[in-house]
Amino acid sequence: MGTYLNPGNGGFAEILNSIYVDKTGLISLINRTIQTRQKLTCISRPRRFGKSYAAQMLCAYYDCSCDSSGLFDGLAISKDVEYKIHLNQYHVVSLDISGFISRAKRNGLGIDTVPNEIVDALKKEIREAYPELSDVSLLTESLKKCVELTGRKFIFVIDEWDGMIREARNEPETQEKYLSLLREWFKNNNFTPDVIAAVYMTGILPIKKGGSQSAISDFKEYSMIKPRKFGEYVGFTQKEVESLCEEYDADFQKMKQWYDGYSFREVGSVYNPNSVMQAIDNADFDSYWTETSASESLLDYISMDYDGLSKTVAELIGGGEAEVNTLGFANDLETFNSRDDVLTLLTHLGYLAYDERKKSVRIPNEEIRMEFAKAVRGVKRDETIRRLRESDQLIRDVIHMDEEAVAAQIEKLHEEEAVLFYNSEQSLRSVIKRAFFSAYDEYILFEELPAGVGFADVVYLPRRTSMMPVLVIELKWNKSAQGAISQIRDNHYPGVLEQYGGEILLVGISYEKNMPAGRRKHTCRIERYQ
């Protein structure tokens, strides 16, 4: 067994010795591609979404240098009729491109040396495994002769394939050198059909549209925008998380609030797998979403100067959604032409969840919302600073029960709404959430909270460490602000919060529905709940 050639099954054995969710069904999908025209698979996922786990699983299953039946017998893949046909039947080339990049940097070398380092490492291990191939100088010839010698084709498993593209984004010659290596392996009629049985390639970004990356355009792609048949392998499904919570006595509702939010057609809810594992292992619900690369800084992207981006970020942090056109995104970290490009990138990075049916994005869960809430306070863009200050001031005005100031700010933000949506329930709630978007430092938002008779529209519940009061907010039209307060009281909305023990403020806001734009006077009433 080698490091890159036939690395064995030790990595997957370690995974099985930890908290484990059976994702071996993914192997069945790759098996169906072997030695077909669809054998080149490229899957893009955010960091911390189990890409490396999947890579080690595939290596263990296909690697001909070991017997992995003891690891896979009893798992989902063992029920597949083709389970034994492909088990440990191929040479495996396992490459983590980020590891080569790190080694080059550690040794003071430019990353332009990485392609040659990859070739040299593979040639060295092939010669060690098959001394009779020592005189073959070209790597492609060595691989070809290895197939002839052993009768086994190769399966390539490449993790962080786009690491070179991201690291060398200002070095087109380095990128081309790396892409030429991939082209030589996977788009070469004199090599690919004879040597390659299948390829599983993962990264953060999809393959770049057009340009030099068209050299690997034969890959079938599955992304966070369109995961298609790989949707249930993006993260943990709801059923899987329910089982984990039952097994390890964890609070499922909190798990859902913190780490759910991604959703794919025919799969339903998908959870961040790393964060779920961390929460179980630490017995603590927290944000485990830590920055791993300066090139993927949330702050950098939400600071970009595009019309509508500041308003959209406020709406997203407030719990709203934003329509987005994902088609124009160039699949890189430097080509941005619009707000939509920024939102699409944040979806690929896992900061936003995409709804294919609505063509919209939203912040998926509490964990990511905390990251946004922290990042937005570092944005230096004037419009964002203004919105943040206004939101902070609005919260202070509510707590100090300054009814006129609260009404004026809600009226100002409400006028930003399009005429067609001004009076819709969804629009009204969006205004409230956008107005209070900076509240996420201190509060957790609940919408349609079951309370008394019916549901409380918007409730801001203080975090455990906060000394702020609960805010129960109702926004109505053609009714007095006092009438909105009366609805809160008559329907006993605060009743569900009585065990909270802290202060509760009732906030009623109203306006006249049929007045023309600019003249819809808003009024506010704030009362303490006894």
Side-chain angles (χ1 to χ4, degrees), residues 62-96:
Y62 291 115
D63 190 339
C64 64
S65 70
C66 56
D67 179 2
S68 298
S69 57
L71 299 179
F72 289 99
D73 286 352
L75 297 179
I77 182 60
S78 66
K79 298 177 178 62
D80 191 301
V81 294
E82 294 188 343
Y83 168 53
K84 293 290 187 180
I85 294 175
H86 299 288
L87 179 64
N88 300 130
Q89 295 300 309
Y90 300 89
H91 292 297
V92 170
V93 170
S94 174
L95 301 173
D96 181 346

PDB file of all heavy atoms in Angstrom, residues 62-96:
ATOM      1  N   TYR A  62     -12.711   0.433  -3.312  1.00  0.00           N
ATOM      2  CA  TYR A  62     -12.203   0.034  -4.627  1.00  0.00           C
ATOM      3  C   TYR A  62     -10.774  -0.532  -4.598  1.00  0.00           C
ATOM      4  O   TYR A  62     -10.388  -1.276  -5.493  1.00  0.00           O
ATOM      5  CB  TYR A  62     -12.239   1.222  -5.584  1.00  0.00           C
ATOM      6  CG  TYR A  62     -13.630   1.648  -5.972  1.00  0.00           C
ATOM      7  CD1 TYR A  62     -14.139   2.891  -5.620  1.00  0.00           C
ATOM      8  CD2 TYR A  62     -14.458   0.791  -6.689  1.00  0.00           C
ATOM      9  CE1 TYR A  62     -15.423   3.287  -5.979  1.00  0.00           C
ATOM     10  CE2 TYR A  62     -15.749   1.160  -7.054  1.00  0.00           C
ATOM     11  CZ  TYR A  62     -16.214   2.414  -6.687  1.00  0.00           C
ATOM     12  OH  TYR A  62     -17.492   2.782  -7.040  1.00  0.00           O
ATOM     13  N   ASP A  63      -9.990  -0.192  -3.580  1.00  0.00           N
ATOM     14  CA  ASP A  63      -8.561  -0.502  -3.551  1.00  0.00           C
ATOM     15  C   ASP A  63      -8.303  -2.019  -3.600  1.00  0.00           C
ATOM     16  O   ASP A  63      -8.716  -2.765  -2.710  1.00  0.00           O
ATOM     17  CB  ASP A  63      -7.966   0.094  -2.268  1.00  0.00           C
ATOM     18  CG  ASP A  63      -6.452   0.039  -2.243  1.00  0.00           C
ATOM     19  OD1 ASP A  63      -5.868  -0.779  -2.973  1.00  0.00           O
ATOM     20  OD2 ASP A  63      -5.851   0.818  -1.484  1.00  0.00           O
ATOM     21  N   CYS A  64      -7.563  -2.452  -4.630  1.00  0.00           N
ATOM     22  CA  CYS A  64      -7.287  -3.878  -4.823  1.00  0.00           C
ATOM     23  C   CYS A  64      -6.184  -4.397  -3.908  1.00  0.00           C
ATOM     24  O   CYS A  64      -5.927  -5.610  -3.879  1.00  0.00           O
ATOM     25  CB  CYS A  64      -6.913  -4.152  -6.280  1.00  0.00           C
ATOM     26  SG  CYS A  64      -5.389  -3.356  -6.815  1.00  0.00           S
ATOM     27  N   SER A  65      -5.532  -3.526  -3.161  1.00  0.00           N
ATOM     28  CA  SER A  65      -4.417  -3.961  -2.314  1.00  0.00           C
ATOM     29  C   SER A  65      -4.871  -4.445  -0.939  1.00  0.00           C
ATOM     30  O   SER A  65      -4.044  -4.827  -0.114  1.00  0.00           O
ATOM     31  CB  SER A  65      -3.407  -2.818  -2.144  1.00  0.00           C
ATOM     32  OG  SER A  65      -3.956  -1.781  -1.331  1.00  0.00           O
ATOM     33  N   CYS A  66      -6.182  -4.422  -0.680  1.00  0.00           N
ATOM     34  CA  CYS A  66      -6.663  -4.810   0.645  1.00  0.00           C
ATOM     35  C   CYS A  66      -7.999  -5.541   0.516  1.00  0.00           C
ATOM     36  O   CYS A  66      -8.621  -5.535  -0.544  1.00  0.00           O
ATOM     37  CB  CYS A  66      -6.813  -3.579   1.556  1.00  0.00           C
ATOM     38  SG  CYS A  66      -7.882  -2.294   0.865  1.00  0.00           S
ATOM     39  N   ASP A  67      -8.427  -6.131   1.617  1.00  0.00           N
ATOM     40  CA  ASP A  67      -9.733  -6.782   1.679  1.00  0.00           C
ATOM     41  C   ASP A  67     -10.607  -5.966   2.622  1.00  0.00           C
ATOM     42  O   ASP A  67     -10.388  -5.950   3.830  1.00  0.00           O
ATOM     43  CB  ASP A  67      -9.588  -8.216   2.192  1.00  0.00           C
ATOM     44  CG  ASP A  67     -10.935  -8.935   2.299  1.00  0.00           C
ATOM     45  OD1 ASP A  67     -11.970  -8.332   1.938  1.00  0.00           O
ATOM     46  OD2 ASP A  67     -10.953 -10.086   2.757  1.00  0.00           O
ATOM     47  N   SER A  68     -11.607  -5.284   2.073  1.00  0.00           N
ATOM     48  CA  SER A  68     -12.450  -4.391   2.867  1.00  0.00           C
ATOM     49  C   SER A  68     -13.818  -4.978   3.157  1.00  0.00           C
ATOM     50  O   SER A  68     -14.703  -4.265   3.640  1.00  0.00           O
ATOM     51  CB  SER A  68     -12.606  -3.047   2.140  1.00  0.00           C
ATOM     52  OG  SER A  68     -11.364  -2.409   1.977  1.00  0.00           O
ATOM     53  N   SER A  69     -14.010  -6.242   2.883  1.00  0.00           N
ATOM     54  CA  SER A  69     -15.337  -6.828   3.097  1.00  0.00           C
ATOM     55  C   SER A  69     -15.764  -6.722   4.555  1.00  0.00           C
ATOM     56  O   SER A  69     -16.943  -6.523   4.858  1.00  0.00           O
ATOM     57  CB  SER A  69     -15.363  -8.288   2.636  1.00  0.00           C
ATOM     58  OG  SER A  69     -14.370  -9.043   3.316  1.00  0.00           O
ATOM     59  N   GLY A  70     -14.813  -6.850   5.479  1.00  0.00           N
ATOM     60  CA  GLY A  70     -15.143  -6.747   6.893  1.00  0.00           C
ATOM     61  C   GLY A  70     -15.623  -5.366   7.297  1.00  0.00           C
ATOM     62  O   GLY A  70     -16.320  -5.212   8.306  1.00  0.00           O
ATOM     63  N   LEU A  71     -15.261  -4.348   6.514  1.00  0.00           N
ATOM     64  CA  LEU A  71     -15.696  -2.969   6.805  1.00  0.00           C
ATOM     65  C   LEU A  71     -17.076  -2.685   6.216  1.00  0.00           C
ATOM     66  O   LEU A  71     -17.876  -1.966   6.814  1.00  0.00           O
ATOM     67  CB  LEU A  71     -14.688  -1.968   6.238  1.00  0.00           C
ATOM     68  CG  LEU A  71     -13.257  -2.040   6.774  1.00  0.00           C
ATOM     69  CD1 LEU A  71     -12.380  -1.000   6.079  1.00  0.00           C
ATOM     70  CD2 LEU A  71     -13.223  -1.835   8.283  1.00  0.00           C
ATOM     71  N   PHE A  72     -17.352  -3.245   5.029  1.00  0.00           N
ATOM     72  CA  PHE A  72     -18.571  -2.878   4.313  1.00  0.00           C
ATOM     73  C   PHE A  72     -19.720  -3.878   4.485  1.00  0.00           C
ATOM     74  O   PHE A  72     -20.876  -3.514   4.264  1.00  0.00           O
ATOM     75  CB  PHE A  72     -18.266  -2.692   2.823  1.00  0.00           C
ATOM     76  CG  PHE A  72     -17.453  -1.460   2.530  1.00  0.00           C
ATOM     77  CD1 PHE A  72     -16.079  -1.551   2.336  1.00  0.00           C
ATOM     78  CD2 PHE A  72     -18.054  -0.218   2.463  1.00  0.00           C
ATOM     79  CE1 PHE A  72     -15.319  -0.420   2.073  1.00  0.00           C
ATOM     80  CE2 PHE A  72     -17.306   0.920   2.193  1.00  0.00           C
ATOM     81  CZ  PHE A  72     -15.934   0.825   2.005  1.00  0.00           C
ATOM     82  N   ASP A  73     -19.408  -5.127   4.846  1.00  0.00           N
ATOM     83  CA  ASP A  73     -20.484  -6.095   5.067  1.00  0.00           C
ATOM     84  C   ASP A  73     -21.424  -5.577   6.154  1.00  0.00           C
ATOM     85  O   ASP A  73     -20.984  -5.185   7.233  1.00  0.00           O
ATOM     86  CB  ASP A  73     -19.907  -7.447   5.497  1.00  0.00           C
ATOM     87  CG  ASP A  73     -19.250  -8.192   4.348  1.00  0.00           C
ATOM     88  OD1 ASP A  73     -19.383  -7.737   3.204  1.00  0.00           O
ATOM     89  OD2 ASP A  73     -18.593  -9.218   4.608  1.00  0.00           O
ATOM     90  N   GLY A  74     -22.695  -5.567   5.852  1.00  0.00           N
ATOM     91  CA  GLY A  74     -23.676  -5.065   6.814  1.00  0.00           C
ATOM     92  C   GLY A  74     -24.052  -3.614   6.612  1.00  0.00           C
ATOM     93  O   GLY A  74     -25.061  -3.155   7.152  1.00  0.00           O
ATOM     94  N   LEU A  75     -23.256  -2.867   5.823  1.00  0.00           N
ATOM     95  CA  LEU A  75     -23.608  -1.479   5.512  1.00  0.00           C
ATOM     96  C   LEU A  75     -24.509  -1.441   4.273  1.00  0.00           C
ATOM     97  O   LEU A  75     -24.704  -2.457   3.591  1.00  0.00           O
ATOM     98  CB  LEU A  75     -22.341  -0.653   5.275  1.00  0.00           C
ATOM     99  CG  LEU A  75     -21.403  -0.517   6.491  1.00  0.00           C
ATOM    100  CD1 LEU A  75     -20.171   0.307   6.133  1.00  0.00           C
ATOM    101  CD2 LEU A  75     -22.124   0.094   7.683  1.00  0.00           C
ATOM    102  N   ALA A  76     -25.047  -0.281   3.961  1.00  0.00           N
ATOM    103  CA  ALA A  76     -26.046  -0.155   2.890  1.00  0.00           C
ATOM    104  C   ALA A  76     -25.543  -0.709   1.556  1.00  0.00           C
ATOM    105  O   ALA A  76     -26.290  -1.367   0.826  1.00  0.00           O
ATOM    106  CB  ALA A  76     -26.464   1.304   2.743  1.00  0.00           C
ATOM    107  N   ILE A  77     -24.286  -0.485   1.240  1.00  0.00           N
ATOM    108  CA  ILE A  77     -23.749  -0.914  -0.056  1.00  0.00           C
ATOM    109  C   ILE A  77     -23.773  -2.429  -0.191  1.00  0.00           C
ATOM    110  O   ILE A  77     -23.896  -2.971  -1.293  1.00  0.00           O
ATOM    111  CB  ILE A  77     -22.309  -0.380  -0.264  1.00  0.00           C
ATOM    112  CG1 ILE A  77     -21.775  -0.781  -1.640  1.00  0.00           C
ATOM    113  CG2 ILE A  77     -21.386  -0.857   0.828  1.00  0.00           C
ATOM    114  CD1 ILE A  77     -22.586  -0.253  -2.792  1.00  0.00           C
ATOM    115  N   SER A  78     -23.685  -3.155   0.917  1.00  0.00           N
ATOM    116  CA  SER A  78     -23.630  -4.621   0.847  1.00  0.00           C
ATOM    117  C   SER A  78     -24.928  -5.226   0.321  1.00  0.00           C
ATOM    118  O   SER A  78     -24.958  -6.393  -0.066  1.00  0.00           O
ATOM    119  CB  SER A  78     -23.296  -5.204   2.221  1.00  0.00           C
ATOM    120  OG  SER A  78     -24.339  -4.965   3.149  1.00  0.00           O
ATOM    121  N   LYS A  79     -26.003  -4.431   0.323  1.00  0.00           N
ATOM    122  CA  LYS A  79     -27.292  -4.915  -0.194  1.00  0.00           C
ATOM    123  C   LYS A  79     -27.424  -4.696  -1.696  1.00  0.00           C
ATOM    124  O   LYS A  79     -28.394  -5.144  -2.313  1.00  0.00           O
ATOM    125  CB  LYS A  79     -28.429  -4.216   0.546  1.00  0.00           C
ATOM    126  CG  LYS A  79     -28.446  -4.494   2.050  1.00  0.00           C
ATOM    127  CD  LYS A  79     -29.559  -3.719   2.740  1.00  0.00           C
ATOM    128  CE  LYS A  79     -29.601  -4.027   4.229  1.00  0.00           C
ATOM    129  NZ  LYS A  79     -28.370  -3.634   4.929  1.00  0.00           N
ATOM    130  N   ASP A  80     -26.466  -4.006  -2.292  1.00  0.00           N
ATOM    131  CA  ASP A  80     -26.479  -3.753  -3.731  1.00  0.00           C
ATOM    132  C   ASP A  80     -26.055  -5.026  -4.469  1.00  0.00           C
ATOM    133  O   ASP A  80     -25.096  -5.697  -4.075  1.00  0.00           O
ATOM    134  CB  ASP A  80     -25.531  -2.595  -4.061  1.00  0.00           C
ATOM    135  CG  ASP A  80     -25.681  -2.090  -5.472  1.00  0.00           C
ATOM    136  OD1 ASP A  80     -25.491  -2.884  -6.417  1.00  0.00           O
ATOM    137  OD2 ASP A  80     -25.997  -0.898  -5.644  1.00  0.00           O
ATOM    138  N   VAL A  81     -26.746  -5.345  -5.562  1.00  0.00           N
ATOM    139  CA  VAL A  81     -26.444  -6.579  -6.301  1.00  0.00           C
ATOM    140  C   VAL A  81     -25.035  -6.554  -6.895  1.00  0.00           C
ATOM    141  O   VAL A  81     -24.451  -7.605  -7.180  1.00  0.00           O
ATOM    142  CB  VAL A  81     -27.481  -6.817  -7.424  1.00  0.00           C
ATOM    143  CG1 VAL A  81     -28.840  -7.098  -6.828  1.00  0.00           C
ATOM    144  CG2 VAL A  81     -27.539  -5.628  -8.384  1.00  0.00           C
ATOM    145  N   GLU A  82     -24.460  -5.354  -7.083  1.00  0.00           N
ATOM    146  CA  GLU A  82     -23.118  -5.246  -7.656  1.00  0.00           C
ATOM    147  C   GLU A  82     -22.046  -5.058  -6.589  1.00  0.00           C
ATOM    148  O   GLU A  82     -20.892  -4.764  -6.905  1.00  0.00           O
ATOM    149  CB  GLU A  82     -23.067  -4.091  -8.657  1.00  0.00           C
ATOM    150  CG  GLU A  82     -23.933  -4.308  -9.893  1.00  0.00           C
ATOM    151  CD  GLU A  82     -23.710  -3.249 -10.951  1.00  0.00           C
ATOM    152  OE1 GLU A  82     -23.138  -2.195 -10.616  1.00  0.00           O
ATOM    153  OE2 GLU A  82     -24.087  -3.483 -12.107  1.00  0.00           O
ATOM    154  N   TYR A  83     -22.424  -5.230  -5.330  1.00  0.00           N
ATOM    155  CA  TYR A  83     -21.492  -4.993  -4.222  1.00  0.00           C
ATOM    156  C   TYR A  83     -20.180  -5.741  -4.400  1.00  0.00           C
ATOM    157  O   TYR A  83     -19.093  -5.154  -4.375  1.00  0.00           O
ATOM    158  CB  TYR A  83     -22.172  -5.391  -2.904  1.00  0.00           C
ATOM    159  CG  TYR A  83     -21.261  -5.470  -1.708  1.00  0.00           C
ATOM    160  CD1 TYR A  83     -20.426  -4.410  -1.357  1.00  0.00           C
ATOM    161  CD2 TYR A  83     -21.237  -6.622  -0.917  1.00  0.00           C
ATOM    162  CE1 TYR A  83     -19.603  -4.489  -0.247  1.00  0.00           C
ATOM    163  CE2 TYR A  83     -20.418  -6.706   0.204  1.00  0.00           C
ATOM    164  CZ  TYR A  83     -19.596  -5.643   0.530  1.00  0.00           C
ATOM    165  OH  TYR A  83     -18.788  -5.723   1.635  1.00  0.00           O
ATOM    166  N   LYS A  84     -20.248  -7.059  -4.595  1.00  0.00           N
ATOM    167  CA  LYS A  84     -19.029  -7.869  -4.680  1.00  0.00           C
ATOM    168  C   LYS A  84     -18.294  -7.693  -6.013  1.00  0.00           C
ATOM    169  O   LYS A  84     -17.083  -7.900  -6.096  1.00  0.00           O
ATOM    170  CB  LYS A  84     -19.386  -9.357  -4.501  1.00  0.00           C
ATOM    171  CG  LYS A  84     -19.879  -9.719  -3.110  1.00  0.00           C
ATOM    172  CD  LYS A  84     -18.756  -9.652  -2.082  1.00  0.00           C
ATOM    173  CE  LYS A  84     -19.233 -10.196  -0.729  1.00  0.00           C
ATOM    174  NZ  LYS A  84     -18.152 -10.139   0.290  1.00  0.00           N
ATOM    175  N   ILE A  85     -19.038  -7.283  -7.037  1.00  0.00           N
ATOM    176  CA  ILE A  85     -18.435  -7.155  -8.371  1.00  0.00           C
ATOM    177  C   ILE A  85     -17.295  -6.136  -8.365  1.00  0.00           C
ATOM    178  O   ILE A  85     -16.245  -6.346  -8.984  1.00  0.00           O
ATOM    179  CB  ILE A  85     -19.497  -6.754  -9.415  1.00  0.00           C
ATOM    180  CG1 ILE A  85     -20.519  -7.872  -9.580  1.00  0.00           C
ATOM    181  CG2 ILE A  85     -18.849  -6.410 -10.758  1.00  0.00           C
ATOM    182  CD1 ILE A  85     -21.673  -7.506 -10.494  1.00  0.00           C
ATOM    183  N   HIS A  86     -17.486  -5.029  -7.638  1.00  0.00           N
ATOM    184  CA  HIS A  86     -16.491  -3.939  -7.676  1.00  0.00           C
ATOM    185  C   HIS A  86     -15.646  -3.842  -6.409  1.00  0.00           C
ATOM    186  O   HIS A  86     -14.688  -3.076  -6.372  1.00  0.00           O
ATOM    187  CB  HIS A  86     -17.204  -2.605  -7.901  1.00  0.00           C
ATOM    188  CG  HIS A  86     -17.969  -2.534  -9.188  1.00  0.00           C
ATOM    189  ND1 HIS A  86     -17.350  -2.452 -10.413  1.00  0.00           N
ATOM    190  CD2 HIS A  86     -19.302  -2.548  -9.438  1.00  0.00           C
ATOM    191  CE1 HIS A  86     -18.263  -2.412 -11.374  1.00  0.00           C
ATOM    192  NE2 HIS A  86     -19.460  -2.463 -10.810  1.00  0.00           N
ATOM    193  N   LEU A  87     -15.987  -4.606  -5.375  1.00  0.00           N
ATOM    194  CA  LEU A  87     -15.268  -4.503  -4.103  1.00  0.00           C
ATOM    195  C   LEU A  87     -13.810  -4.914  -4.264  1.00  0.00           C
ATOM    196  O   LEU A  87     -13.512  -6.044  -4.658  1.00  0.00           O
ATOM    197  CB  LEU A  87     -15.956  -5.386  -3.050  1.00  0.00           C
ATOM    198  CG  LEU A  87     -15.315  -5.420  -1.662  1.00  0.00           C
ATOM    199  CD1 LEU A  87     -15.377  -4.044  -1.001  1.00  0.00           C
ATOM    200  CD2 LEU A  87     -15.990  -6.463  -0.778  1.00  0.00           C
ATOM    201  N   ASN A  88     -12.899  -3.959  -3.988  1.00  0.00           N
ATOM    202  CA  ASN A  88     -11.446  -4.188  -4.022  1.00  0.00           C
ATOM    203  C   ASN A  88     -10.968  -4.763  -5.357  1.00  0.00           C
ATOM    204  O   ASN A  88     -10.147  -5.690  -5.399  1.00  0.00           O
ATOM    205  CB  ASN A  88     -11.032  -5.125  -2.879  1.00  0.00           C
ATOM    206  CG  ASN A  88     -11.384  -4.571  -1.513  1.00  0.00           C
ATOM    207  OD1 ASN A  88     -11.990  -5.266  -0.695  1.00  0.00           O
ATOM    208  ND2 ASN A  88     -11.033  -3.322  -1.244  1.00  0.00           N
ATOM    209  N   GLN A  89     -11.471  -4.198  -6.460  1.00  0.00           N
ATOM    210  CA  GLN A  89     -11.149  -4.721  -7.795  1.00  0.00           C
ATOM    211  C   GLN A  89     -10.349  -3.758  -8.666  1.00  0.00           C
ATOM    212  O   GLN A  89     -10.086  -4.064  -9.830  1.00  0.00           O
ATOM    213  CB  GLN A  89     -12.448  -5.104  -8.525  1.00  0.00           C
ATOM    214  CG  GLN A  89     -13.208  -6.245  -7.882  1.00  0.00           C
ATOM    215  CD  GLN A  89     -12.383  -7.513  -7.816  1.00  0.00           C
ATOM    216  OE1 GLN A  89     -11.811  -7.959  -8.811  1.00  0.00           O
ATOM    217  NE2 GLN A  89     -12.295  -8.103  -6.621  1.00  0.00           N
ATOM    218  N   TYR A  90      -9.935  -2.609  -8.124  1.00  0.00           N
ATOM    219  CA  TYR A  90      -9.294  -1.602  -8.974  1.00  0.00           C
ATOM    220  C   TYR A  90      -8.036  -1.044  -8.308  1.00  0.00           C
ATOM    221  O   TYR A  90      -7.908  -1.053  -7.083  1.00  0.00           O
ATOM    222  CB  TYR A  90     -10.258  -0.439  -9.265  1.00  0.00           C
ATOM    223  CG  TYR A  90     -11.511  -0.881  -9.964  1.00  0.00           C
ATOM    224  CD1 TYR A  90     -12.637  -1.283  -9.227  1.00  0.00           C
ATOM    225  CD2 TYR A  90     -11.582  -0.932 -11.351  1.00  0.00           C
ATOM    226  CE1 TYR A  90     -13.790  -1.710  -9.855  1.00  0.00           C
ATOM    227  CE2 TYR A  90     -12.735  -1.366 -11.994  1.00  0.00           C
ATOM    228  CZ  TYR A  90     -13.833  -1.749 -11.239  1.00  0.00           C
ATOM    229  OH  TYR A  90     -14.978  -2.194 -11.879  1.00  0.00           O
ATOM    230  N   HIS A  91      -7.134  -0.561  -9.140  1.00  0.00           N
ATOM    231  CA  HIS A  91      -6.079   0.301  -8.613  1.00  0.00           C
ATOM    232  C   HIS A  91      -6.719   1.657  -8.281  1.00  0.00           C
ATOM    233  O   HIS A  91      -7.558   2.153  -9.040  1.00  0.00           O
ATOM    234  CB  HIS A  91      -4.977   0.511  -9.650  1.00  0.00           C
ATOM    235  CG  HIS A  91      -4.191  -0.716  -9.958  1.00  0.00           C
ATOM    236  ND1 HIS A  91      -3.424  -1.361  -9.018  1.00  0.00           N
ATOM    237  CD2 HIS A  91      -4.054  -1.428 -11.114  1.00  0.00           C
ATOM    238  CE1 HIS A  91      -2.835  -2.403  -9.566  1.00  0.00           C
ATOM    239  NE2 HIS A  91      -3.207  -2.479 -10.846  1.00  0.00           N
ATOM    240  N   VAL A  92      -6.316   2.242  -7.182  1.00  0.00           N
ATOM    241  CA  VAL A  92      -6.854   3.539  -6.780  1.00  0.00           C
ATOM    242  C   VAL A  92      -5.727   4.565  -6.723  1.00  0.00           C
ATOM    243  O   VAL A  92      -4.667   4.306  -6.133  1.00  0.00           O
ATOM    244  CB  VAL A  92      -7.548   3.455  -5.406  1.00  0.00           C
ATOM    245  CG1 VAL A  92      -7.883   4.853  -4.886  1.00  0.00           C
ATOM    246  CG2 VAL A  92      -8.810   2.619  -5.498  1.00  0.00           C
ATOM    247  N   VAL A  93      -5.941   5.704  -7.345  1.00  0.00           N
ATOM    248  CA  VAL A  93      -5.062   6.861  -7.168  1.00  0.00           C
ATOM    249  C   VAL A  93      -5.822   7.860  -6.305  1.00  0.00           C
ATOM    250  O   VAL A  93      -6.886   8.350  -6.680  1.00  0.00           O
ATOM    251  CB  VAL A  93      -4.685   7.503  -8.517  1.00  0.00           C
ATOM    252  CG1 VAL A  93      -3.970   8.838  -8.282  1.00  0.00           C
ATOM    253  CG2 VAL A  93      -3.793   6.559  -9.311  1.00  0.00           C
ATOM    254  N   SER A  94      -5.297   8.127  -5.118  1.00  0.00           N
ATOM    255  CA  SER A  94      -5.936   9.030  -4.150  1.00  0.00           C
ATOM    256  C   SER A  94      -5.081  10.275  -3.986  1.00  0.00           C
ATOM    257  O   SER A  94      -3.938  10.200  -3.522  1.00  0.00           O
ATOM    258  CB  SER A  94      -6.096   8.319  -2.797  1.00  0.00           C
ATOM    259  OG  SER A  94      -6.581   9.204  -1.816  1.00  0.00           O
ATOM    260  N   LEU A  95      -5.644  11.417  -4.362  1.00  0.00           N
ATOM    261  CA  LEU A  95      -4.897  12.676  -4.318  1.00  0.00           C
ATOM    262  C   LEU A  95      -5.681  13.721  -3.540  1.00  0.00           C
ATOM    263  O   LEU A  95      -6.840  13.986  -3.849  1.00  0.00           O
ATOM    264  CB  LEU A  95      -4.639  13.198  -5.739  1.00  0.00           C
ATOM    265  CG  LEU A  95      -3.865  12.288  -6.690  1.00  0.00           C
ATOM    266  CD1 LEU A  95      -3.856  12.890  -8.089  1.00  0.00           C
ATOM    267  CD2 LEU A  95      -2.442  12.068  -6.186  1.00  0.00           C
ATOM    268  N   ASP A  96      -5.060  14.299  -2.525  1.00  0.00           N
ATOM    269  CA  ASP A  96      -5.598  15.473  -1.837  1.00  0.00           C
ATOM    270  C   ASP A  96      -4.751  16.651  -2.300  1.00  0.00           C
ATOM    271  O   ASP A  96      -3.613  16.826  -1.842  1.00  0.00           O
ATOM    272  CB  ASP A  96      -5.515  15.298  -0.320  1.00  0.00           C
ATOM    273  CG  ASP A  96      -6.090  16.490   0.437  1.00  0.00           C
ATOM    274  OD1 ASP A  96      -6.307  17.548  -0.195  1.00  0.00           O
ATOM    275  OD2 ASP A  96      -6.297  16.386   1.657  1.00  0.00           O
TER     276      ASP A  96
END
